[in-house]
Each structure stands twice: as C-alpha cells, then as structure tokens.
Amino acid sequence: MLRYSIFLSLLICICFDMAATDQMNDAALLQKLDKMIDRREVYQQQVEKEISNLRRTLIYAEDDKQKFDILGDLFIKYRSFRIDTAMIIAKERLQLAENLRDEEIINQGLMNVADVLNKMGKHENALIELSKVKRTEAVLKDTYFYYLYHTIYLSCYNDEIDTSRRHFYRQELKAYKDTLIAISKPDSPSYITNKCGRLGMSGKWDEAIRILNDYYSQCKNDEPDKARMEYLFAELYLGKQDTLRAKHWLTLAAITDIANAKKVYMSLQRLAILLFQEGDIARAYNYISCSLEDVNFGKARYRIVDIAEYLPIIKAANDARIKTDKNKVLFFLLILSVLVITLVAAFFFIRNKNSNLLRVKQSLAEQNRRLQEMTENLTQMNKEIKESNHIKEEYIGLLFNICSEYIYKQENNRKILLKVVNTGSMADLSKMLNNQSSTSEDFKLFINKFDTIFLSIFPDFIESFNTLLKEEERIQIKENELLTPELRIYALIRLGINDNSKIANFLHYSLQTVYNYRMKMRNKAIIPGKDLAAQVQKL
C-alpha cells in the first residue's frame, strides 16, 4: 500500500512538473508570436518580393502554356494572401486554358475559380463552378478536386444552422475524406491529414494524434502543409477538451501562418478566442484585431463574419480591462501622490531637524573650541606659573644666600672694628678698611650668580635668542663668560622685567646704556624690532 502511495505521489509530481514546463514553453511561444505580429510587415514584404519575381518571369513567357503555369504559381501565392487578386489570376488561367482548348488545364482553371469563390464565402457558386469540371481520369485522381469539395462542404457545415442540413454536410465531409484517403499516397500530407481528420470525426482522438505526431515529427520547417497539420492538432485536442495543448498548437500554427505572410487563415482567430476564455484579454484583443486587419488586407470578406461574432465581446472586455487598468493607474497615482507629499513633508521635517542639529553641533563645536582654548590657556598659565615659581625659588634662594653672606660679612667686620676700637690704634683701622673688598667686586659676584641661576633655568636661552638674530649678528660667548650685557638685559626681559629704568637699576647701568643695548639688538633681529621683546618672553 505504501509503495502504491509513493508511486502515485511521484506520478502526480511528474505530471505537475510537465504541466509547468508546458506552460513555460507556451508563454515563450506566445511572446515569439507577439514579436512576429509586430514584424509581420517584414514577412509580407518577402512574399511581395517573391510575387514580383514571378510577375517579371511572366513577361518573358514563351507561350500561353508556360504563362498558364506561371500564373498557377502566382495563384498559389495569392490564394491565402489576396483573394481578389487570386480571382483575377484564376480567371486569367481559365481564359488561357480555353484559348488553348486543353480540357485538363480548363478543369484546373475552373477549380481555381471555385477555390477563390469558396474563400469569398460564395459556396453555392463554388459548387456550380466545380460542377463544370469534366470528370476525366486525371480529375478523378486529383486530390485538389476532392479537397475543394471537402473544403466547400466544411464551410457550409460551419455556416449552417439547420440541424438536418448540418447532418447532410457532415456526411458529405466524411465521404470526401474517405475518397481523399483512398486516392492519396499513404506517406503524403493529404493522406495523413484526412486520415487523422476522419479518426477525429469518429472520436478516435488519441489514435489520430499519434498518427499525426509521427508524421509531423519527420516534417521539415519548409513543409507547405505544416500550418495545416498544426491546426489539425489543435482541432483534435479541442475534440478531447484539452484546451491547453490546443492553445499550444494554435500558437504554432499562427506562427507558421504569419511567417508565410498568410492573410486568410483561422489559427490566430481561434487562438484569440481561447485566450479570451482564459482571461488573457489584452492578448486576445491584439490577436483578434490582427486577424481582422489581415482579413481586410486579404479581402476574405466572409471571414469578417466569423471575427465579428467575437470582436465586440472581446473589444468590450478589452475596454473594460483598459478602464480597470486606468482606474488602477489613477489609484496608484493617488497613492504615489500621497507618498510623494509625505516624502516631501518628511524631507522638510528632517531638513529642519538637521538644521537644528547642525546649529547645535556648531554651537557645541564652538564651545569645544573655547574650552580647548581655555584648556590651552590654563596649560600655558600653569606652565608660566610653574616657571615663575621655579624662578622665584631660584632667585629667592639667591637672595637668602646673598643676605646670609652679607650678614656674615657684616658680623665679621663688626667684630674686627670692635677689636680695633678696643685697642685704640687708628693705623690698624685704616689698614683694615683698605683690605676690605670693594662694592664692585660684590656686584660682579652677584651678577655671576644671577647668570648661573638664569642659565640653569633656561639652559637653551642663548641658542634660542640667537635664532631671532641675523646669522652674521649672532652673539658668540667667550670662554669663562656666561652672559653678555645684551643677553643679560634680555634675560631680565624674559623674567618679566621690561621697564628700562628697572633694568638699569638692577644692572647698575645708566638708562641710556640700557636703551642703546636694546636698540642694538633690535637692529640685529630678523623680526621687526618692536616684536623682539615679546618673542624673547616666549623663549
């Protein structure tokens, strides 16, 4: 039981897969047909070129018999292309045949006229013309003669409403099919198509399809009866109620008919009806409109009646589809408009938000810049305070040291003076005073200590100061020398003492001397002289 279930499931899957593949193939075929319909003028021009070549050949015909044969080729081209022109050629052939007084070719001319009359929808007149054909031995073996009777009765059967008359025409169809089967070669298209058609009339669809498929698979693409066989496939599948495969073969038949530039054909019209029933309204309307254009071009007026039966229905459905599509388009346009308005509103809202954010960002950036400046200023101030504290520590230490030494020195002098006073010797007092070190030597010692402490705080001062001077004017320190007078003045400026009078008092210089030293350095500077002091304070 389980095996049967698995087998059944696999079979169903295979069937669904095959159906899906067929639908994909049919969709591709329909797309191909759509493109061929758009390019059908190209195929028409090709047939017109072939007709023009035959007409040029007709001019050079040596006799009426050759002309009759060339007109036969032209008739074949026109019989499914332009019915009115085909009638003119058929009558020309008949006239030539009567002039030649050849019974066999007269029969061919009469059959051509009957063929065109049937295509014009004049079935009774076609039968009258066929009745004029002499039943010679050649005629009785001519499949074209029986084909015409078969086709005329088929047209009568399709047009007839009365049941009894339809039954009569059906019986005639069977009889002529049997005759065509009997006189046709077993491997000929006439035999195969009539054999399969006869089986189809008996309800033997599968057998007919098998026979036709075997023959069709061996046919070449240029087979003249290819479209006829494809159309017969569709009729057999329609007899089986298999519209999917019928649509496939009608599509192939329509492709073949359009490739051959036929204007009088049924495949595209029948395909349009099937597509309409499936709900493919747009394509059905396109195909039925194409069929109507081709019928008008081919002057097959009786076909217009068949098309007119479905054209209003398909057109109405297509108009309804267009209206529905317009409503959908309007609806989507409305939705799109709402979306666009929403997007525009959102855009301006976001833009406004972005502007606010940008302003906030710029404000924060400005605040950050200010904070950074404040941080840098604080860092610089801390550095300067640290430097100032260091300077203070060094020079306060120097001051205490000098004061201590001075106090110690004064105490010694006091003791010596006291001793001298106690002894009462003025000569000793004078000698002692002469031996005391002078004030200038004390000042030199003070300056030396100042220079030493300054260079310990700013060890690169001399090199840095020289970078502010022209290369040839830079100060060269002598051996055993710490600072020159000029450097010492600017050392005081680096320590924050910028006033000339204070510098003069500190260094025991005159005010003019300080001014001259500073002016001298300004002239040697590579920067504007007034900026020299400011640059020194940054060293």
Side-chain angles (χ1 to χ4, degrees):
M1 185 67 182
L2 180 60
R3 284 184 297 175
Y4 290 127
S5 300
I6 295 172
F7 176 76
L8 184 61
S9 300
L10 288 172
L11 185 62
I12 292 171
C13 291
I14 291 169
C15 291
F16 275 121
D17 188 48
M18 291 176 63
T21 303
D22 289 342
Q23 288 179 351
M24 290 175 64
N25 292 337
D26 288 344
L29 283 175
L30 288 171
Q31 288 178 357
K32 180 180 179 181
L33 178 57
D34 292 340
K35 292 178 181 178
M36 292 184 71
I37 288 173
D38 293 337
R39 297 181 65 252
R40 66 183 189 276
E41 289 186 3
V42 176
Y43 306 113
Q44 179 179 321
Q45 290 170 2
Q46 185 176 350
V47 171
E48 288 172 346
K49 183 178 179 181
E50 293 173 359
I51 289 172
S52 298
N53 292 335
L54 285 172
R55 287 193 176 278
R56 282 196 292 271
T57 306
L58 188 64
I59 297 172
Y60 300 104
E62 296 179 355
D63 51 35
D64 286 347
K65 180 62 173 66
Q66 187 178 7
K67 189 175 182 181
F68 180 84
D69 293 336
I70 295 170
L71 286 172
D73 294 334
L74 274 172
F75 178 78
I76 293 171
K77 291 291 182 184
Y78 274 114
R79 67 188 292 271
S80 295
F81 187 65
R82 289 291 294 263
I83 296 299
D84 53 348
T85 309
M87 175 57 81
I88 294 170
I89 293 172
K91 288 181 178 180
E92 286 185 20
R93 291 194 85 205
L94 182 59
Q95 184 63 48
L96 282 172
E98 290 174 349
N99 292 340
L100 291 170
R101 299 177 183 277
D102 188 326
E103 189 175 53
E104 295 300 332
I105 62 175
I106 290 173
N107 287 338
Q108 291 182 30
L110 289 169
M111 285 188 281
N112 289 159
V113 172
D115 192 356
V116 178
L117 286 171
N118 181 53
K119 289 183 177 294
M120 288 181 170
K122 301 176 180 180
H123 310 311
E124 296 298 329
N125 293 337
L127 288 172
I128 291 170
E129 289 297 317
L130 277 181
S131 65
K132 296 177 184 180
V133 176
K134 300 291 181 66
R135 268 54 172 181
T136 62
E137 184 178 353
V139 169
L140 294 176
K141 293 180 180 179
D142 191 351
T143 56
Y144 182 50
F145 175 70
Y146 295 105
Y147 161 79
L148 290 173
Y149 268 111
H150 174 272
T151 306
I152 293 168
Y153 282 124
L154 178 61
S155 300
C156 292
Y157 175 79
N158 291 331
D159 295 343
E160 188 58 60
I161 301 174
D162 183 71
T163 305
S164 60
R165 294 293 296 171
R166 282 176 63 86
H167 178 72
F168 168 74
Y169 290 136
R170 183 176 175 81
Q171 293 304 116
E172 290 295 314
L173 280 172
K174 288 181 179 180
Y176 279 106
K177 278 189 181 295
D178 291 338
T179 303
L180 283 165
I181 292 169
I183 66 171
S184 299
K185 294 180 180 179
D187 58 345
S188 66
S190 174
Y191 177 85
I192 296 298
T193 53
N194 284 288
K195 175 72 174 177
C196 294
R198 188 69 179 84
L199 289 170
M201 293 180 73
S202 302
K204 299 177 181 179
W205 318 110
D206 292 330
E207 184 180 353
I209 289 169
R210 180 183 57 79
I211 294 171
L212 185 59
N213 189 60
D214 290 342
Y215 186 81
Y216 179 83
S217 61
Q218 299 175 6
C219 289
K220 297 179 180 179
N221 289 329
D222 58 351
E223 170 63 48
D225 291 308
K226 183 181 179 185
R228 181 181 170 190
M229 286 185 281
E230 289 165 345
Y231 188 81
L232 180 56
F233 265 120
E235 287 189 320
L236 293 172
Y237 279 113
L238 284 173
K240 287 184 64 177
Q241 305 297 317
D242 188 347
T243 55
L244 183 64
R245 294 190 181 277
K247 183 179 73 173
H248 172 80
W249 287 104
L250 282 173
T251 306
L252 287 174
I255 289 172
T256 305
D257 286 333
I258 290 174
N260 293 324
K262 288 187 178 181
K263 302 296 180 180
V264 184
Y265 59 100
M266 288 289 293
S267 56
L268 193 62
Q269 175 187 336
R270 293 287 296 276
L271 178 59
I273 295 168
L274 278 183
L275 291 172
F276 172 73
Q277 292 170 350
E278 288 183 355
D280 193 349
I281 307 299
R283 190 170 262 142
Y285 180 74
N286 184 35
Y287 290 177
I288 203 76
S289 300
C290 178
S291 297
L292 183 61
E293 291 174 8
D294 287 345
V295 165
N296 283 330
F297 180 88
K299 306 298 181 184
R301 295 178 181 85
Y302 85 100
R303 293 287 190 194
I304 297 176
V305 177
D306 297 332
I307 295 174
E309 182 181 352
Y310 286 94
L311 183 59
I313 301 171
I314 296 176
K315 186 177 184 303
N318 189 61
D319 291 342
R321 179 191 64 82
I322 292 172
K323 185 178 180 181
T324 303
D325 289 345
K326 284 183 178 178
N327 291 335
K328 288 180 180 178
V329 170
L330 289 174
F331 175 74
F332 284 123
L333 283 175
L334 179 63
I335 296 296
L336 184 61
S337 300
V338 173
L339 288 174
V340 169
I341 292 170
T342 304
L343 286 173
V344 170
F347 170 76
F348 283 107
F349 176 77
I350 293 171
R351 184 179 179 184
N352 185 47
K353 288 291 185 184
N354 285 339
S355 298
N356 294 336
L357 288 172
L358 182 60
R359 285 194 292 272
V360 172
K361 186 177 179 180
Q362 289 174 345
S363 177
L364 289 172
E366 180 64 21
Q367 291 180 16
N368 286 334
R369 186 185 65 77
R370 290 177 181 176
L371 286 171
Q372 188 174 358
E373 287 180 358
M374 291 175 64
T375 302
E376 290 175 356
N377 291 336
L378 287 172
T379 302
Q380 183 63 27
M381 288 175 64
N382 287 333
K383 183 179 178 183
E384 290 176 358
I385 290 171
K386 185 177 180 181
E387 183 182 282
S388 176
N389 289 336
H390 182 55
I391 292 171
K392 287 178 181 179
E393 289 174 1
E394 291 293 331
Y395 282 100
I396 287 172
L398 174 62
L399 177 61
F400 286 166
N401 188 34
I402 292 172
C403 290
S404 177
E405 288 180 356
Y406 184 76
I407 291 169
Y408 178 76
K409 188 175 182 180
Q410 291 298 320
E411 179 64 23
N412 283 339
N413 288 336
R414 189 187 66 81
K415 289 178 179 180
I416 294 169
L417 286 173
L418 182 61
K419 184 177 180 180
V420 170
V421 170
N422 289 334
T423 60
S425 175
M426 292 301 292
D428 292 337
L429 179 62
S430 176
K431 184 180 179 181
M432 182 193 69
L433 289 174
N434 288 329
N435 291 333
Q436 291 290 325
S437 61
S438 65
T439 304
S440 61
E441 291 178 355
D442 291 339
F443 181 74
K444 288 179 181 179
L445 180 63
F446 168 75
I447 290 300
N448 183 267
K449 289 184 177 181
F450 170 82
D451 293 349
T452 303
I453 292 172
F454 180 82
L455 290 174
S456 69
I457 297 172
F458 302 103
D460 300 325
F461 177 76
I462 298 173
E463 289 80 358
S464 300
F465 184 80
N466 275 330
T467 59
L468 301 176
L469 304 178
K470 298 174 184 176
E471 188 172 356
E472 66 275 9
E473 299 292 348
R474 290 177 181 176
I475 299 171
Q476 300 295 327
I477 302 299
K478 298 178 181 179
E479 189 177 355
N480 299 324
E481 188 179 27
L482 297 177
L483 294 176
T484 64
E486 297 93 339
L487 287 173
R488 198 171 290 118
I489 289 170
Y490 281 96
L492 289 170
I493 292 172
R494 176 64 185 85
L495 293 173
I497 303 171
N498 198 32
D499 185 66
N500 285 343
S501 60
K502 290 181 179 180
I503 295 171
N505 289 333
F506 186 85
L507 297 178
H508 292 188
Y509 292 158
S510 66
L511 192 62
Q512 185 63 41
T513 302
V514 174
Y515 176 79
N516 291 339
Y517 276 134
R518 292 187 70 170
M519 185 57 65
K520 181 181 177 182
M521 289 297 103
R522 285 183 182 180
N523 294 332
K524 294 180 178 182
I526 59 175
I527 59 174
K530 61 181 180 179
D531 296 332
L532 181 59
Q535 290 296 323
V536 169
Q537 289 179 343
K538 296 178 182 180
L539 295 178

